[in-house]
Amino acid sequence: MRSWGGLPEHPQRSRSLNWRDELAECWDEPTLAVGAGRSYGDCGLAASGEVLCTTGMNRMLQFDQNSGVLRCEAGVSLGDILRHTVPAGWILPVLPGTQYVTVAGAIANDVHGKNHHGFGTFGRHVKSLLLQRSDRELIECSAGNRSEWFSASIAGLGLTGVILQAELQLKPVAGAWLQCDTVRFRELAEFFALSEESDQNYEYTVAWIDCLHARSRGIFSRAWHIEDARPAPLREPRFRVPFTPPLSPVNRFTLRAFNSLYYHRQRLRGHPDTIPLGDWFFPLDSIGSWNRLYGSRGFRQYQCVVPAPVVRDLLAIIRRSAQGSFLAVLKTFGDLQSPGLMSFPRPGVTLALDFPWRGSATLELFAQLDAVVGSNDGAIYPAKDAHMQGADFRRAYPAWETVERLRDPRLKSLLWQRVTEDS
Amino acid sequence: MARILIVGATSAIAIASARLFAARGDDLVLAARNEERLGSLAADLRVRGAGAVDTVSFMAQPQQDYQGFAGRVWDQGLDCLLLAHGSLRSQDRCQDDVTASRREFEVNALSTICLLAAFAGRFAEQGAGNMVVISSVAGDRGRQSNYLYGSAKAAVSTYCQGLRNRMHSSGVRVITIKPGFVDTPMTAGFEKGLLWTQPEQIASGILRALERGSDVVYLPWFWRYIMLVIRLIPERWFKRLSL
């Protein structure tokens, strides 16, 4: 098994965990329980090279249609949940950019979505967790019960024990459709103005930017749920990248062309579209295995959160490096606090970009970005990371020591080894 | 809404099929060895839309009281019986071990035959219904890498052939499902290549076979032709191959 970004060079051995009783036999070697393998970097890879894949533990155990509380196993995918709860009038309050991640993965990384300004992170909607420790202890925890375990496990990168089950509070939804509109912005200042205005009035907001363009033009999208009884099942990918091409079609020239095309093809304000929720939340899921487009060397994502004015500096560095990305996303985070101790979102603007992996050239660029992020008290997102320096991690996530104290001695990721054992 | 009994309900193909039945709102009776697993599976199927879901303990071993089992679950009759239990232990480890060979044959062949024997009369009397049995392409020809499992599945396939012939006049269908390589916990130790399929694909093939009233179904379809070629190789050459 490899991570979404194509790490590591030698794939890790994976063992399937389909039933919780099988876990008893899995503790001989140090390991790491992982979900769908959608984390980009090395937080979903085991330091020992042996991962426990939990996607077979995908049973929904109880769903109360009156209260919207769902109890399910760790490996259920968010898409699987939506398929069953949306027709019943309930939706996961926080959805990341892909439906394929598992519940436990969403909890361990405390993922966020396009409504962070209104609903915070995924972890805010977790009512309780069931953890299995390697010493056979079973820990049921919530905000009010053994809360130390609860807050260390949300955004806990899967280290405090194997998450077996979770109880989630869903949100009522009137249907499977959203209304969305898009507005072009010609420069960053317009983005900030749009974001400030829209976050007060729109449930979901996100922006795509053309990071190769001198003034960082882009497209601001916003959406809101509408009442519409027509069913809109989540779609299967319309196209699947069948293999990893030896040469990546993603390069400076195709990127420039792509970005230009994408920018100009967008419709202008005043023409709201009605779209199925899957198309709004998971646009990239329409291309199966899109990560293969980056060729056999794979790619890295850089996602950080910084105070708004710093975004300009980061974009300037990226433009100068002439390494760019098609998937460049900007989103303003709100100030809703997550229960998770090591949660990534914090007030500021988050910038996420994909870079084709070019070895030292990419690392040099990341080092320049890291310096800016670090000196402005920003943070890098562990779920996307494969390069962050230990010192930067420990500064941005000071609660790491609590997590380390509660970490199960049998569980360790490559990321954790990298960022906590380098001093 | 149908009433369906699934034996070996915690196997991957059974789970995938049960979820499709649940989505239709069918009533399900789940039988398997591990009751804790059955419990969580039953809960899942209820959330996924199944009507009534019952669980019953079942062990594919000589001590199992097959008639008693059939009597307990028959109740108001069944629309469909799906036999999905099985065991695939390494051929190398079993082939020279009498006890292991017998146990494998017990699970993969005898228990299936006993179940079919216990239910056949009931279905015949009911005069309708489907008896779906998961056999395997491995039963189409004995190969050194897999002949213990293969011979058990051959027994099952041939038994089903005869049973289908017997049941035809009473309006009961017997459907033999022959999956190829399926990526399940049973095959966790195998290198996976292009020919491998996910259990969900096998499950939708099973539902399609039920709708169409097929007799013998290879899943995916191309296995019918692969196995045709494999069956056509003369034994004097076949015995030299390392298959």
Side-chain angles (χ1 to χ4, degrees):
Chain A
M1 131 150 227
R2 282 198 165 96
S3 78
W4 191 242
L7 290 149
E9 209 167 317
H10 303 288
Q12 299 212 312
R13 279 168 48 95
S14 98
R15 198 164 155 179
S16 303
L17 189 64
N18 297 291
W19 306 92
R20 56 188 278 193
D21 60 83
E22 291 172 340
L23 187 53
E25 302 150 25
C26 299
W27 293 115
D28 322 339
E29 300 293 325
T31 183
L32 181 73
V34 302
R38 285 275 168 155
S39 290
Y40 290 59
D42 56 3
C43 75
L45 298 170
S48 66
E50 308 262 343
V51 296
L52 269 183
C53 179
T54 60
T55 48
M57 287 211 306
N58 56 9
R59 285 160 287 268
M60 294 187 264
L61 302 172
Q62 200 169 28
F63 177 50
D64 182 339
Q65 302 213 5
N66 298 314
S67 64
V69 175
L70 172 74
R71 187 171 187 91
C72 64
E73 291 183 332
V76 186
S77 75
L78 303 191
D80 200 6
I81 292 177
L82 293 178
R83 261 186 282 276
H84 291 89
T85 60
V86 171
W90 297 93
I91 189 173
L92 288 161
V94 171
L95 288 163
T98 168
Q99 57 164 306
Y100 298 117
V101 299
T102 63
V103 164
I107 293 169
N109 291 292
D110 200 16
V111 299
H112 56 271
K114 301 173 178 69
N115 61 353
H116 184 270
H117 56 282
F119 282 82
T121 64
F122 195 89
R124 282 177 62 91
H125 310 280
V126 178
K127 288 177 69 91
S128 71
L129 284 177
L130 185 64
L131 295 172
Q132 174 79 66
R133 302 272 297 176
S134 62
D135 62 7
R136 308 293 186 269
E137 194 191 356
L138 209 50
I139 298 176
E140 174 97 45
C141 57
S142 64
N145 172 32
R146 307 191 78 177
S147 60
E148 189 182 35
W149 291 97
F150 188 66
S151 54
S153 301
I154 290 173
L157 301 171
L159 301 166
T160 56
V162 174
I163 299 174
L164 292 179
Q165 296 176 6
E167 208 177 16
L168 310 173
Q169 176 65 60
L170 273 49
K171 176 183 89 162
V173 70
W177 296 82
L178 292 117
Q179 191 97 320
C180 83
D181 71 8
T182 50
V183 189
R184 274 189 208 158
F185 54 88
R186 280 158 303 180
E187 55 178 21
L188 216 48
E190 282 184 39
F191 162 78
F192 292 125
L194 271 167
S195 181
E196 194 170 342
E197 173 210 322
S198 306
D199 285 359
Q200 289 164 23
N201 306 317
Y202 294 84
E203 193 165 350
Y204 302 98
T205 64
V206 69
W208 168 86
I209 52 162
D210 181 353
C211 62
L212 299 171
H213 190 262
R215 283 200 309 272
S216 304
R217 63 184 179 185
I219 295 158
F220 196 91
S221 314
R222 45 205 190 182
W224 59 99
H225 289 286
I226 51 171
E227 258 182 74
D228 194 328
R230 284 176 297 156
L234 293 177
R235 271 198 268 242
E236 288 299 304
R238 269 161 271 189
F239 170 75
R240 202 174 276 282
V241 183
F243 60 91
T244 307
L247 271 182
S248 165
V250 183
N251 60 48
R252 189 184 311 189
F253 305 102
T254 54
L255 274 177
R256 217 172 268 283
F258 256 133
N259 282 5
S260 214
L261 203 68
Y262 191 78
Y263 178 77
H264 289 292
R265 151 205 114 115
Q266 287 297 315
R267 244 172 276 175
L268 292 174
R269 169 179 232 156
H271 300 280
D273 263 341
T274 304
I275 60 170
L277 62 85
D279 292 8
W280 166 257
F281 290 109
F282 317 123
L284 278 171
D285 287 349
S286 61
I287 307 168
S289 306
W290 58 263
N291 54 339
R292 290 180 173 158
L293 289 174
Y294 283 98
S296 56
R297 299 190 74 185
F299 72 105
R300 297 292 156 87
Q301 185 164 94
Y302 193 93
Q303 182 168 3
C304 60
V305 53
V306 288
V310 181
V311 173
R312 201 178 296 277
D313 306 338
L314 294 174
L315 288 171
I317 294 172
I318 291 160
R319 213 160 36 241
R320 270 203 305 279
S321 79
Q323 302 189 47
S325 105
F326 171 67
L327 300 161
V329 174
L330 267 184
K331 157 96 193 135
T332 307
F333 281 146
D335 53 8
L336 291 169
Q337 185 77 31
S338 162
L341 294 178
M342 294 199 305
S343 189
F344 162 70
R346 54 202 75 192
V349 174
T350 182
L351 173 66
L353 307 112
D354 289 351
F355 297 93
W357 175 240
R358 297 211 179 91
S360 56
T362 312
L363 283 178
E364 262 168 51
L365 168 64
F366 285 7
Q368 290 179 48
L369 298 173
D370 288 352
V372 175
V373 171
S375 60
N376 288 286
D377 211 19
I380 293 167
Y381 191 9
K384 309 286 181 75
D385 180 67
H387 80 278
M388 151 165 56
Q389 302 298 308
D392 286 335
F393 175 79
R394 296 189 295 266
R395 177 195 49 73
Y397 301 93
W400 74 275
E401 284 174 301
T402 309
V403 175
E404 173 61 14
R405 182 166 53 77
L406 298 178
R407 182 172 67 83
D408 190 298
R410 292 259 152 186
L411 300 173
K412 191 191 284 181
S413 60
L414 274 178
L415 178 133
W416 198 252
Q417 185 175 49
R418 179 163 60 79
V419 297
T420 65
E421 294 175 15
D422 68 337
S423 49
Chain B
M1 248 180 25
R3 185 173 148 85
I4 298 167
L5 165 66
I6 305 178
V7 179
T10 53
S11 78
I13 293 176
I15 294 175
S17 308
R19 284 180 173 171
L20 295 180
F21 292 135
R24 305 196 307 201
D26 292 340
D27 291 341
L28 299 167
V29 184
L30 311 174
R33 201 170 22 162
N34 187 319
E35 297 191 36
E36 188 199 315
R37 294 183 183 186
L38 272 181
S40 63
L41 179 61
D44 177 65
L45 295 169
R46 283 187 202 108
V47 174
R48 289 175 194 269
V53 184
D54 295 324
T55 64
V56 47
S57 163
F58 172 82
M59 303 251 206
Q61 59 187 30
Q63 301 90 307
Q64 174 72 43
D65 170 11
Y66 288 94
Q67 280 298 352
F69 172 79
R72 263 201 311 286
V73 297
W74 188 258
D75 213 9
Q76 322 96 349
L78 289 171
D79 297 292
C80 178
L81 165 70
L82 172 62
L83 302 187
H85 64 290
S87 159
L88 182 56
R89 292 185 61 196
S90 134
Q91 171 76 28
D92 297 355
R93 239 177 286 156
C94 297
Q95 58 193 8
D96 298 328
D97 180 336
V98 174
T99 318
S101 293
R102 173 171 288 163
R103 200 175 325 112
E104 285 294 280
F105 210 82
E106 176 75 43
V107 173
N108 291 323
L110 293 178
S111 70
T112 305
I113 290 171
C114 293
L115 281 165
L116 291 170
F119 280 99
R122 292 180 161 87
F123 271 103
E125 199 179 310
Q126 182 177 261
N130 295 285
M131 305 174 85
V132 185
V133 182
I134 300 185
S135 183
S136 169
V137 295
D140 280 15
R141 191 150 194 185
R143 294 166 299 122
Q144 60 174 326
S145 59
N146 201 12
Y147 63 86
L148 180 56
Y149 181 79
S151 57
K153 289 302 194 184
V156 167
S157 295
T158 307
Y159 186 94
C160 288
Q161 235 168 25
L163 185 64
R164 182 178 306 117
N165 192 195
R166 167 189 161 194
M167 300 301 260
H168 179 71
S169 57
S170 57
V172 176
R173 280 196 310 231
V174 178
I175 302 174
T176 311
I177 303 289
K178 294 187 178 180
F181 300 146
V182 190
D183 184 3
T184 67
M186 193 165 90
T187 57
F190 291 73
E191 280 288 318
K192 309 287 190 297
L194 272 179
L195 292 175
W196 286 76
T197 315
Q198 293 303 312
E200 288 75 19
Q201 273 174 273
I202 304 298
S204 39
I206 292 174
L207 266 82
R208 211 163 42 238
L210 273 167
E211 277 161 27
R212 291 185 187 162
S214 319
D215 296 319
V216 180
V217 182
Y218 287 81
L219 292 176
W221 59 271
F222 55 78
W223 281 98
R224 181 179 293 275
Y225 302 97
I226 294 177
M227 295 321 292
L228 179 67
V229 170
I230 286 181
R231 278 199 313 272
L232 284 173
I233 303 172
E235 189 69 12
R236 91 168 69 154
W237 298 338
F238 195 80
K239 71 181 179 195
R240 292 163 218 270
L241 302 176
S242 53
L243 282 167

